[in-house]
Each structure stands twice: as structure tokens, then as C-alpha cells.
Amino acid sequence: MKHWRIDDVRWDQFDPAKLDPSIIALVKSAAMVERNGTDYGTYLKRVFHDDPAFKDAADLWSVEEIQHGDALGRWAMLADPSWDYQAAFQRYKDGYELPLLTADSSVRGSRTGELIARCIVESGTSSYYSALADATEEPVLKQVCKLIAADEFRHFKLFYDHMKRYLAREQLFFLQRLRIAASRIGESEDDELAFAFHCANTQPGAPYDHQASLADYMTTVLPMCRFHHIERGMGMVFKAVGLPPRGRLADMSAKLAWTLLQRRGRKFAAERTPLAQAA
Ligand SMILES: [Fe+2]
Ligand SMILES: [Fe+2]
């Protein structure tokens, strides 16, 4: 059972006076990626084909991710009535295919590795929606983001619990776990997010430039992040790779990640193509 339904949201409290164009752009693009949960669910069920308990959990997970997309899409159409969620998502689907769509086994080399990668994604999404909920003053979006963030924290726990089960069988070394986590974090600069930002925020037919769209996305999302969002996300990453989520090493890593993110933000800002030009 899902933990909430779209109709539970107090849509009647929508306040157009509290909108922020940057946040609308981020919500539109997040709706694309979330709605793509169907394909990822199909892949997960193929990878874990002989594990009925996990397949059932993956089914519910996928339904929840799709609901995230639909709730964000509905809010974005309230905020910008000229925007068409379904049309934008179709454009995203037509132009982007998950690289793992045809794989029969995990692209991470093992089931434990797959579940570590899923933990990393859920660390990122839980931090992302917590940051969006803190950043927006629009009451409906705040509610939606809090509901989604709670799901993402539960998703982390779901994948973490299954990961521990598989780790006992597959026994991945710490460095293997660390390498999988680092490579999944690095993939945040691949097409999945940049192309979603492009499809959600430019007119149909606008040419796609990966680097420009990534710069547009990063320079929109990074100012919204606060240190405590990164700190919490880093604690979850630590937990996923088998390190203590709190303590000196976690603190130092969160500070380092924060510094690197700031530096990355400045680099992207220097090469940014304004949305108005890209559209
Ligand atoms: Fe989600
Ligand atoms: Fe999730």
C-alpha cells in the first residue's frame, strides 16, 4: 500500500503569490525522472527475477516513484498552466533510454552492488526533496516535497535492508562498495538529469546540448542546497558503503563534498547558457 495518495494533498491551498521560477523549473524536471520509475522497476524485477519478496517491494517502489512524478507534474501545471506534463514526459521518453533497459543482470556487477547504487540514488532524492521543501514558500509544493522526501527515506531503508541480506551472500569488499557508490554519484552528471531539465524547460524542437543543459540544471539546483542537506545525504552514503554515518570521517567528508559542490557550482555558472536562450 502506498503511504499517501495524490488526493491527500491540499491542492486548494495553492498560492500563486509564492512561486519562484527556479523552483518551478526544478519541479518540472524532477517530474520527468520520477515518472520514468516504470522502466527502472522492470529492470529491477529482471535482475532479482528469483526473489519474490524483493520483486513485490520493487513493484510498490515503482508505483510510488510514478506517483512522485504525477504529483510534481500536477503542481507544475498549476504553477505554469501553459506547461504540459504528459507532452514533456513523452519528449523525455522519446529521447532518453535508461542505459540498463536491456540488461538481464545488474549493470553494477552483483545484486549487492545494484542495491548499493539504489541506496545512493535514494540518499540523493531524499536530500533533494528535503531541500526543495525547505526552499519553497508555496504551501502545496512544501507539502508534496515533504511527502515525497518521507517516501525517499523509506526507499533508502528498503534497499539498504535488502542490500544487507545480499551482502551476507555475496560478500563485496569495502573498496568494491565504495567504487560502486562513487561511480553512481558521478552519474548524476549524465544525461538522465540534464536531458530531463532540457525536456521540461525548453520548447519542443529546441536542440539538446548536454553540457549547457547540465550547467542550467546545476546552477538552478545547487543554490537551493544547504550544508545540512549534504551532511545528511553523506551520512546515508556512508551507511550504504558500511561506514559509520556519524563521526569525524563523516563530518570531514560532508565538509569536503560541500566545498567541491560549491566549486562545481562556480564552474557551471561560468559556462551557463540562460534558459531563455536555450528555449
Ligand atoms: Fe521519487
Ligand atoms: Fe525513491
Side-chain angles (χ1 to χ4, degrees):
M1 277 215 22
K2 288 187 282 188
H3 291 85
W4 55 279
R5 294 171 304 125
I6 287 187
D7 288 341
D8 297 335
V9 175
R10 294 292 312 271
W11 297 101
D12 58 320
Q13 292 182 352
F14 179 73
D15 184 352
K18 302 269 174 66
L19 294 175
D20 173 332
S22 295
I23 289 178
I24 298 174
L26 290 174
V27 170
K28 287 176 179 176
S29 109
M32 308 289 95
V33 180
E34 295 280 356
R35 183 65 184 77
N36 222 14
T38 316
D39 283 352
Y40 217 106
T42 305
Y43 160 75
L44 283 179
K45 286 205 295 184
R46 241 186 356 251
V47 170
F48 293 87
H49 58 88
D50 56 355
D51 183 342
F54 182 81
K55 278 169 46 177
D56 286 350
D59 267 335
L60 177 59
W61 168 83
S62 170
V63 165
E64 290 187 341
E65 298 296 10
I66 292 163
Q67 176 166 280
H68 296 171
D70 290 345
L72 294 166
R74 180 165 166 179
W75 181 87
M77 286 196 290
L78 274 180
D80 175 3
S82 71
W83 191 66
D84 185 335
Y85 165 51
Q86 294 299 345
F89 178 64
Q90 193 56 50
R91 198 174 155 211
Y92 182 59
K93 282 284 291 174
D94 291 345
Y96 176 76
E97 189 171 275
L98 284 168
L100 38 73
L101 210 55
T102 54
D104 286 325
S105 58
S106 172
V107 294
R108 311 289 165 188
S110 65
R111 291 182 176 183
T112 308
E114 182 62 43
L115 293 164
I116 291 171
R118 294 315 313 163
C119 286
I120 301 306
V121 172
E122 303 296 348
S123 308
T125 53
S126 53
S127 300
Y128 181 85
Y129 292 108
S130 299
L132 257 185
D134 289 347
T136 187
E137 291 178 22
E138 201 296 306
V140 177
L141 182 62
K142 202 178 261 300
Q143 187 192 357
V144 167
C145 288
K146 284 182 177 173
L147 288 167
I148 295 179
D151 280 349
E152 309 295 21
F153 285 116
R154 275 190 293 270
H155 292 167
F156 175 90
K157 184 169 184 333
L158 165 78
F159 291 125
Y160 179 78
D161 289 345
H162 283 281
M163 188 271 286
K164 294 287 277 184
R165 187 161 62 85
Y166 276 100
L167 187 61
R169 287 187 216 170
E170 297 180 331
Q171 296 181 333
L172 257 66
F173 295 118
F174 168 70
L175 283 179
Q176 291 173 291
R177 297 166 73 181
L178 191 62
R179 194 173 62 235
I180 290 164
S183 93
R184 186 60 191 87
I185 291 169
E187 288 167 25
S188 58
E189 294 194 4
D190 288 356
D191 270 335
E192 185 177 27
L193 302 180
F195 188 59
F197 196 80
H198 168 80
C199 292
N201 291 293
T202 62
Q203 295 300 318
Y208 172 61
D209 176 323
H210 171 79
Q211 205 52 32
S213 298
L214 183 63
D216 283 340
Y217 171 67
M218 289 295 185
T219 49
T220 311
V221 72
L222 291 179
M224 185 186 71
C225 296
R226 297 288 170 265
F227 178 70
H228 67 272
H229 303 127
I230 303 302
E231 191 179 30
R232 184 158 188 186
M234 185 58 76
M236 293 165 80
V237 170
F238 262 49
K239 190 169 173 177
V241 299
L243 288 170
R246 285 188 200 84
R248 207 171 137 80
L249 187 59
D251 285 352
M252 282 167 48
S253 299
K255 282 177 187 145
L256 179 64
W258 177 249
T259 305
L260 292 176
L261 269 182
Q262 305 286 310
R263 194 178 298 166
R264 209 84 188 108
R266 285 194 293 275
K267 178 190 168 289
F268 282 121
E271 63 188 50
R272 188 176 189 206
T273 307
L275 274 179
Q277 286 178 29

